[in-house]
Amino acid sequence: MFERKKFENHYEGAIEPFKIIGNTYFVGTFPASVHLINTGDGLVLIDTGYFDTLFMVIDSIYKLGFSPYDIKYIIHTHWHGDHTEATAALVHMTGAKTFIGKEDYEKVQRYFMPDVLLSEGDTVTLGNTTVEIMETPGHTKGTISLFYETEDNGKKYTVGMFGGAGANTLVKERFDYPDCRSGYLDSINRLRLKRVDVFIGNHVWNNDTENKGKCLLETGENKFIDPSLWGIFLNYCEKRLNDIIEKENG
C-alpha cells in the first residue's frame, strides 16, 4: 500500500489520468500527485507538481476532455517544490488564483506569490464544490488538509486528503520548524475525527493511487471508496514518527 518507486527523471513516472469518483480526477504523475476537481464553473487543481512534469499534467487534463485554460483555482497543500514548482507557469498560462496555508507564505515565495492565505475552518467554493480547510502542521508549518463532498451515481461521498503526510521533515536534521513532531501528532489525532469515504493521496504511495487507478480503468471496481483506509493511513503515519524517535533513542 505504501510502496514508493524511484525514478532517475521525474518524467519517467507517467500515470494514465482517470476519474476517481464524482467530479474528482487524477492528472498527476508518480513523483508528484495532482488532482483536478470539475466544479461545473471551472476547474480546481490540488497541487501542481514538479516543473519538469507540467507538460504531462497538461496532457492528462486534455486527455480527460478538459482544458487547462479552465483552471480557476489552485489549492496547495504545502510549500515544497514537488507540490508547487509548476504553479508559476500554470498561473502565467491560465490566470488561476492560488491558495496556500498562511504559515507557508514566506517559504512558498521561492516558487510563486500566493493570492489567498488559508486558515483553520476556511472554505474555498467554486461552482458546485466547497472545500473545507484544516490546518495540519507537522510536515511543514503551514500544511493544510482538504475535505469536500462529491456525488457519484446518486450517492454522496466525503473526499479527504492529508496535505502533508511525509516523515522526511520529522528527522532532526530536516525540521521545517522546531515543534514539528508535536504538531504532526496533534494533526493526526484531529484528522482521525474526520470521516472520509474516499481518501486521495498527497502522494501516490499514500493510498496506492496508481494500482487503484489501473483497477478502476480495467475492471470498473472502485477501490478508492473505503472509509477504513483513512484511519489505516493515519495509524501508519503515527508509526513512522514513533519509529524515527525510537531509532534516534537507540
Side-chain angles (χ1 to χ4, degrees):
M1 180 177 183
F2 308 121
E3 179 183 359
R4 178 173 181 171
K5 298 177 187 177
K6 292 188 177 180
F7 298 93
E8 186 174 345
N9 300 294
H10 295 143
Y11 55 76
E12 295 173 349
I15 293 178
E16 191 68 20
F18 61 94
K19 174 181 174 179
I20 296 176
I21 192 168
N23 62 354
T24 304
Y25 301 78
F26 182 84
V27 294
T29 64
F30 196 97
S33 289
V34 182
H35 291 84
L36 178 151
I37 306 171
N38 176 23
T39 74
D41 192 27
L43 307 176
V44 175
L45 281 193
I46 303 174
D47 291 338
T48 60
Y50 289 104
F51 179 77
D52 58 3
T53 58
L54 177 58
F55 75 98
M56 298 164 70
V57 172
I58 290 173
D59 185 55
S60 291
I61 292 171
Y62 277 123
K63 280 183 176 179
L64 291 171
F66 301 111
S67 169
Y69 293 98
D70 290 328
I71 298 170
K72 300 291 178 63
Y73 292 169
I74 305 173
I75 303 175
H76 301 84
T77 56
H78 59 281
W79 70 265
H80 289 159
D82 51 340
H83 302 271
T84 60
E85 272 188 7
T87 298
L90 262 181
V91 169
H92 180 76
M93 175 183 180
T94 68
K97 181 180 286 189
T98 57
F99 300 73
I100 196 164
K102 69 180 190 299
E103 297 295 341
D104 274 359
Y105 172 69
E106 291 186 6
K107 290 185 176 179
V108 82
Q109 291 180 42
R110 69 193 68 183
Y111 299 113
F112 71 94
M113 182 65 70
D115 296 308
V116 180
L117 302 181
L118 298 169
S119 300
E120 178 75 17
D122 283 350
T123 57
V124 179
T125 299
L126 184 67
N128 60 18
T129 303
T130 295
V131 180
E132 175 191 345
I133 304 302
M134 178 186 287
E135 290 186 271
T136 51
H139 185 56
T140 72
K141 193 173 184 180
T143 294
I144 58 171
S145 295
L146 316 173
F147 305 90
Y148 61 94
E149 299 296 319
T150 194
E151 185 172 330
D152 194 80
N153 293 322
K155 187 174 181 180
K156 291 184 178 181
Y157 300 89
T158 297
V159 180
M161 173 188 285
F162 182 4
N168 56 322
T169 56
L170 302 178
V171 178
K172 283 184 178 179
E173 301 78 37
R174 301 189 66 184
F175 281 2
D176 184 77
Y177 67 103
D179 299 324
C180 61
R181 288 179 174 175
S182 59
Y184 188 81
L185 183 58
D186 179 66
S187 294
I188 288 173
N189 288 331
R190 290 188 299 111
L191 286 166
R192 284 193 175 106
L193 302 177
K194 301 289 292 188
R195 175 184 169 85
V196 172
D197 304 305
V198 179
F199 164 39
I200 56 176
N202 187 238
H203 280 287
V204 299
W205 50 88
N206 291 174
N207 67 337
D208 200 18
T209 304
E210 183 178 30
N211 289 323
K212 285 187 173 70
K214 286 179 180 178
C215 177
L216 188 54
L217 289 171
E218 293 170 3
T219 71
E221 181 184 1
N222 196 333
K223 293 186 176 182
F224 290 96
I225 306 173
D226 185 344
S228 71
L229 296 178
W230 181 247
I232 290 171
F233 182 66
L234 294 176
N235 290 341
Y236 167 76
C237 291
E238 183 175 1
K239 182 179 184 303
R240 281 191 306 172
L241 173 56
N242 290 334
D243 288 346
I244 289 171
I245 295 171
E246 183 177 343
K247 184 177 180 181
E248 288 177 356
N249 292 337

